[in-house]
Amino acid sequence: MNARALIVCLAAAWLAGCQWLPEQSRTTTTAGVDAVAKDEIESCYAEVPGFADDACLLHDWVAFGLASQRGDDEWRSRMRERLAGSRTEARLARAVVLSWGPPSQWKQASELFKADLHAAPPRLQPLLRYWLNEIERRRDQQGRLTDSEQARTALVEEKEALTQKLDALTDIERNINSRQRTE
């Protein structure tokens, strides 16, 4: 089984396990989740995950990663401001936010992941390593795309130059042929 499949399976197991936790703040009614619990759930996704060693550590980081992926530029900007500290938790959360921003932020995200990954709880490290690998893969693809576009532009320019030379040679050949006919 490859590492990616193992990480996905572990994440699924952790996420599934969180539903079996004691009813801490999850109060339900016969009609479903009441307003208080619903507010708590919604605020959970707005919170920045930490390293508290609880049963939902992985769940909290996955939820934050999904919120970062789904968030717009304004949300990411607010989160970057909120995560401006130098604590390891804040730096890794900022890396997650930056990794879903524009390609110009991917290098900084990668550097933050690399610098602080070792300080994360061992249970969280595989997920963070997966995210680091994904950001590196996207950076590599972006680099290859940039190189490909530059090569394509160079080929277009070379084609244009060759077309102009061919047109010039065609004109010279026509002149030579017209002179030979008049002689």
Side-chain angles (χ1 to χ4, degrees):
M1 181 182 294
N2 65 24
R4 183 178 286 175
L6 180 61
I7 290 171
V8 170
C9 289
L10 286 173
W14 280 107
L15 290 174
C18 288
Q19 69 183 348
W20 301 111
L21 290 176
E23 295 283 331
Q24 301 163 356
S25 62
R26 289 184 258 158
T27 55
T28 58
T29 63
T30 56
V33 180
D34 66 11
V36 174
K38 187 174 182 180
D39 289 340
E40 289 176 4
I41 290 170
E42 289 174 358
S43 69
C44 175
Y45 293 110
E47 293 294 320
V48 176
F51 288 162
D53 195 23
D54 64 351
C56 285
L57 172 73
L58 192 57
H59 177 268
D60 291 343
W61 279 87
V62 168
F64 184 72
L66 289 172
S68 297
Q69 182 179 7
R70 294 175 182 150
D72 59 8
D73 291 337
E74 183 180 320
W75 182 88
R76 284 191 208 92
S77 178
R78 283 194 319 266
M79 289 308 286
R80 282 194 315 272
E81 290 173 11
R82 187 172 172 191
L83 299 167
S86 60
R87 290 183 5 260
T88 302
E89 297 156 320
R91 289 170 49 89
L92 285 169
R94 191 167 60 240
V96 172
V97 171
L98 291 169
S99 69
W100 290 107
S104 61
Q105 296 175 345
W106 294 352
K107 181 178 182 192
Q108 184 183 4
S110 174
E111 290 169 355
L112 287 170
F113 274 128
K114 288 175 183 175
D116 294 325
L117 181 90
H118 68 283
R123 289 189 348 220
L124 186 58
Q125 288 183 8
L127 176 64
L128 296 175
R129 194 170 295 112
Y130 173 78
W131 285 342
L132 170 62
N133 291 340
E134 284 299 307
I135 194 75
E136 289 298 327
R137 182 188 57 78
R138 282 189 276 148
R139 286 182 66 207
D140 182 55
Q141 286 179 338
Q142 183 68 29
R144 283 187 281 160
L145 177 64
T146 300
D147 292 346
S148 175
E149 283 296 317
Q150 289 173 348
R152 188 188 68 77
T153 301
L155 287 172
V156 166
E157 290 170 358
E158 182 181 356
K159 177 187 175 266
E160 184 61 34
L162 288 173
T163 300
Q164 289 175 358
K165 287 179 183 178
L166 182 62
D167 290 344
L169 287 172
T170 302
D171 289 343
I172 291 171
E173 184 180 11
R174 285 185 191 139
N175 284 337
I176 292 172
N177 287 341
S178 70
R179 285 184 188 166
Q180 287 177 351
R181 286 187 200 143
T182 57
E183 291 178 358

